[in-house]
Amino acid sequence: MAPAAKEFYEDQKNLNKLCNFLRSTDGPAVREAIMMDKRVYYIKGEKLVNFMVEPKKGTKWPKELPRFSSRPEAITVCKELCNIQYIHRSEKVAKGELEVARVRDFDESAYFTWIYEGDMTNKNLMTTALIIGFLCCTCFPIWPNFLKVFVWYMSVSLLIFIFFLVTLRAVVFLFVWIIGYEMWFLPNLFDESLGFCESFIPVISCEKTKDGQLMYRVGVFVAFSSFCYWAVTQPSEFDGFVKGQGDFIKDLYAGTLLSDISQKDKENIDKPKMPSLEDLLKKLDSEDEEEKELSEEEAAEALLNSLVEDSEDIDDEEE
């Protein structure tokens, strides 16, 4: 390592800058695993050294960080990272599981888990935003009405956008698949194992279909052609379906899906329902009337019992 670079990376602050770059999205690719019931990121020592000596194509190495000119220079820094416990050596025990290795020395053939978490500013900001968002959601009943309407429009727009996006992807795939190719728009869109940015890469993927699918493609083509023929020859039914979907979307935006209740109930649909004073007084009056009716029934039953007893006594005297 050049003297200037050697002195540069001996300073821990500069070493932190290097680690921030290595842990960023421009750094080397890492894998996820579970170690001691915690999700961690690990990388093979050889890949780490290779990246430090010769970064992958398109990587923008920070101008304030000196470059490594040889593998021994990079290995020296990696050993220093082990010494200050920014990374530690790990061993694979199962698929997706690691454990801490007893040997702590740096070796290119070993796996190393990142302990250094990098710059926590973005994570802290995201955590704060998450907490604030959660509190705002729990306070939704006391939001002003215009914010509730805004959230409603945003939710409906997002729902419609996702529906048309999924439909468009399926239709494009169907058309291209019929002619013998599998083309997906945003193929990783619903891959839960990828991050947010990686889900939009690549934008389009196109591959030739596997052999033996000709009959399936012909069958789908016939079915799709039959549907198109039905849509053209039965315009009244299909137009009614299209009109119904358009009316449904209009009702979503206009908020008229709940047309069977009053406007006051619509506005107060998310408010807790508390009985009014009139409702409480009516309830008390109804309870009093029920008690009065019950007491009258008891009196009539008591009179009837007394008459029965008197008649029994008269019969006993006659005998």
Side-chain angles (χ1 to χ4, degrees):
M1 186 183 299
K6 182 177 181 181
E7 295 176 359
F8 183 86
Y9 288 115
E10 286 178 353
D11 188 349
Q12 188 167 345
K13 292 183 179 180
N14 297 329
L15 203 59
N16 291 347
K17 294 180 181 179
L18 175 64
C19 292
N20 288 336
F21 168 66
L22 295 176
R23 291 303 314 272
S24 67
T25 55
D26 293 329
V30 295
R31 296 182 180 180
E32 294 185 6
I34 301 298
M35 187 173 65
M36 301 176 63
D37 298 330
K38 183 180 179 181
R39 185 177 297 277
V40 296
Y41 299 93
Y42 72 98
I43 185 173
K44 195 172 184 180
E46 182 181 4
K47 292 185 178 180
L48 179 59
V49 174
N50 291 340
F51 180 86
M52 295 170 67
V53 176
E54 188 177 355
K56 57 186 178 181
K57 188 177 180 180
T59 301
K60 295 182 179 179
W61 189 275
K63 296 180 180 180
E64 65 273 13
L65 298 178
R67 295 287 297 271
F68 297 93
S69 59
S70 63
R71 297 184 69 85
E73 295 177 357
I75 292 174
T76 301
V77 173
C78 291
K79 290 181 178 179
E80 182 62 22
L81 294 179
C82 289
N83 293 335
I84 61 178
Q85 297 184 357
Y86 278 12
I87 58 176
H88 69 76
R89 191 166 175 172
S90 304
E91 294 179 352
K92 286 187 175 182
V93 294
K95 185 177 180 180
E97 293 186 14
L98 299 175
E99 68 177 6
V100 180
R102 295 182 179 181
V103 180
R104 303 295 180 88
D105 297 335
F106 183 82
D107 189 348
E108 293 188 51
S109 62
Y111 294 96
F112 292 87
T113 302
W114 278 105
I115 301 176
Y116 180 80
E117 296 184 351
D119 189 2
M120 300 296 292
T121 303
N122 292 336
K123 292 184 180 179
N124 293 335
L125 291 175
M126 292 179 64
T127 303
T128 303
L130 180 63
I131 295 174
I132 294 175
F134 175 78
L135 293 177
C136 291
C137 291
T138 56
C139 297
F140 182 80
I142 63 175
W143 283 19
N145 193 53
F146 74 92
L147 282 181
K148 295 179 181 179
V149 174
F150 174 76
V151 172
W152 171 258
Y153 281 124
M154 289 294 294
S155 302
V156 172
S157 301
L158 180 62
L159 178 64
I160 294 175
F161 173 75
I162 293 176
F163 174 77
F164 280 104
L165 177 62
V166 173
T167 304
L168 177 65
R169 292 175 75 247
V171 171
V172 171
F173 173 81
L174 182 64
F175 281 143
V176 180
W177 181 73
I178 289 175
I179 62 177
Y181 291 89
E182 295 182 357
M183 189 181 76
W184 281 107
F185 175 67
L186 298 176
N188 297 325
L189 183 62
F190 300 108
D191 192 343
E192 298 179 355
S193 63
L194 299 177
F196 177 78
C197 296
E198 290 79 3
S199 299
F200 298 94
I201 301 174
V203 178
I204 295 177
S205 66
C206 185
E207 299 178 356
K208 188 174 178 60
T209 57
K210 298 179 181 179
D211 297 335
Q213 297 184 358
L214 179 60
M215 296 301 298
Y216 297 104
R217 298 204 304 272
V218 172
V220 171
F221 175 75
V222 172
F224 183 74
S225 301
S226 301
F227 172 78
C228 294
Y229 176 78
W230 171 82
V232 173
T233 56
Q234 303 291 333
S236 58
E237 296 182 13
F238 187 73
D239 291 346
F241 172 77
V242 174
K243 185 176 182 301
Q245 300 304 312
D247 294 339
F248 176 75
I249 294 176
K250 291 180 181 179
D251 291 340
L252 280 178
Y253 278 103
T256 56
L257 287 178
L258 303 177
S259 57
D260 57 335
I261 62 177
S262 65
Q263 181 65 28
K264 182 179 179 181
D265 292 336
K266 293 180 185 179
E267 295 175 354
N268 300 329
I269 194 171
D270 56 348
K271 293 184 179 179
K273 294 179 175 58
M274 301 295 292
S276 62
L277 180 60
E278 294 181 0
D279 295 334
L280 293 175
L281 292 176
K282 289 181 181 179
K283 185 177 180 180
L284 291 175
D285 293 340
S286 63
E287 291 178 354
D288 293 339
E289 291 177 358
E290 290 178 358
E291 291 179 357
K292 184 177 180 180
E293 292 177 357
L294 184 61
S295 60
E296 292 177 355
E297 291 178 359
E298 291 177 352
E301 186 176 357
L303 179 62
L304 181 61
N305 292 334
S306 64
L307 292 175
V308 172
E309 291 176 357
D310 291 342
S311 64
E312 291 178 353
D313 293 339
I314 293 174
D315 293 339
D316 292 340
E317 291 176 358
E318 291 180 352
E319 290 178 357

